[in-house]
Each structure stands twice: as C-alpha cells, then as structure tokens.
Amino acid sequence: MAKETLQNLIPTGFLIISLTLILSFFSLATAYNNTNEYHFSKILSPKKLGLKREKLSHLHFYFHDIVSGKNPTAVRVAAAKTTDSSPTGFGFVAILDDPLTVGPEPTSKQVGRAQGIYASASQTDVGLLMVQNYVFTEGKYNGSTLSVLGRNAVLSAVRELPIVGGSGLFRFARGYAQARTHTFNLTSGDAVVEYNVYVFHY
Ligand SMILES: *[C@@H]1O[C@H](CO)[C@@H](O)[C@H](O)[C@H]1NC(C)=O
Ligand SMILES: *[C@@H]1O[C@H](CO)[C@@H](O)[C@H](O)[C@H]1NC(C)=O
C-alpha cells in the first residue's frame, strides 16, 4: 500500500513541475506579446506600404529668386560682422519662398515653391549651403515635396545638388538637381535659375 502511494506520488510531482514550467512559459510569452503590442520596430514587406515599382522622374522648372523690390521672395535674415567685407559674402543667411514656374518668365505658370534657407558658407568662392523643400502645387504632384540639401557654387555653369528625400508622391525620393543660372540681374541681384531634377521614387 505504502509502495503504491509513493509510485503514485512521483508522477503527480512530475505533473506539478511540468505545469509550473508550462505556465511560466505562457506568462513569459504574454509579457513578450505585451511589449510587442507597441510595434516599436518590425520588418515590413514593401508591398504592405503599396510600394510596387521604383520610377525615375525628370522635373524641369525655373526658380525665381527675387531679392529686390517691395515683395522679395528671398530675404537676408542674418549676417556676420565681417560678411559685407568678405569677397564671398561669407556668413549671411537668407530665407526664401521662391516661385517655381514651367518657363523662365515671371508670369509663367507656377508649379510650386522652393522654401527654406540658403547661407553663404564658403570663404574661397560664392558657395551657398542650400537647405530647401520644393513644395509642388500642380496636378498629381500637388502637396508633394522634395527635400534638397547641397552646395551651390552659384558662379559655376552647372551646380549639382542632392535630393535627399521627399513626401507624398515623392516618398523614399533620392536623386539630384542640376541648376543653371538663366538670368542674373547685376543691379537688382534677382536671379532666374533653370532646374533639372532627376529623382527615383515610387
Ligand atoms: C492643391 O491642393 C490644395 C489643397 O488640397 C487645393 O486647395 C488646390 O486647389 C490644389 N491645386 C491644384 C492645382 O490642384
Ligand atoms: C535689372 O534690375 C534693375 C533694377 O531693379 C531694373 O531697372 C532693370 O530693368 C533690370 N534689368 C533687366 C534686364 O531685367
């Protein structure tokens, strides 16, 4: 009788240990799921975001940088004490909201604006740091933006500026812009710049 009880006890003890192990496994799994509910990070397939095929687009427009007159589109907001005596204007900062148009004439149809900052950041030539968003307002691109971060050696015939990102139709954008001065009025300082933008996006 006593022998039988001992034999019965062993499997019971084993069962209790197994149950404890199983339960603690479940509580661990629940804790793991709880932290996972917040989805701080997970791997996603591009299809889940509706990303199918990467496209290459070419955009062509003219950038009107108007610094003179009653309604300038680019305004100097800061400068160093030494800026005006610097041959390259080193140290000034300007904020712009420049129209982008399909043609070079000021009356040409507007397709967007270039909004941001340019700053004179070179002591050896006229070299601007360009930090700008192109905000498009036309057709399917209305509301989409491209972000530009680059160096603009304005006296060079062709300047290349990286496109570092975008929004809307230009999500995941990357590419480059080529800038060529179309006209520069030495008296007023106003400039019209032709832009060719090549950009990969979805
Ligand atoms: C662009 O979008 C804005 C805001 O959604 C709208 O008011 C405007 O009419 C649109 N312009 C064009 C040309 O579709
Ligand atoms: C250049 O700017 C000056 C001063 O605003 C203006 O009188 C002149 O007509 C402009 N020249 C051209 C070619 O637009």
Side-chain angles (χ1 to χ4, degrees), residues 62-76 94-101 104-107 110 113-114 118 183-185 188-193:
Y62 291 83
F63 168 107
H64 299 258
D65 197 51
I66 303 150
V67 297
S68 69
K70 269 191 240 156
N71 298 304
T73 61
V75 290
R76 186 160 132 164
I95 307 282
L96 68 145
D97 182 6
D98 282 357
L100 304 175
T101 61
E105 311 78 24
T107 53
Q110 192 173 305
R113 318 275 305 181
Y118 59 72
T183 49
F184 179 61
N185 185 326
S188 65
D190 295 348
V192 177
V193 183

Side-chain angles (χ1 to χ4, degrees), residues 109 136-140 142-143:
K109 184 187 170 69
F136 297 100
T137 50
E138 193 46 40
K140 64 175 178 173
N142 191 11

Side-chain angles (χ1 to χ4, degrees), residues 73-126:
T73 61
V75 290
R76 186 160 132 164
V77 294
K81 281 199 186 99
T82 50
T83 294
D84 288 337
S85 58
S86 158
T88 62
F90 177 64
F92 80 77
V93 178
I95 307 282
L96 68 145
D97 182 6
D98 282 357
L100 304 175
T101 61
V102 285
E105 311 78 24
T107 53
S108 171
K109 184 187 170 69
Q110 192 173 305
V111 292
R113 318 275 305 181
Q115 300 177 335
I117 294 172
Y118 59 72
S120 179
S122 176
Q123 293 180 288
T124 51
D125 60 353
V126 186

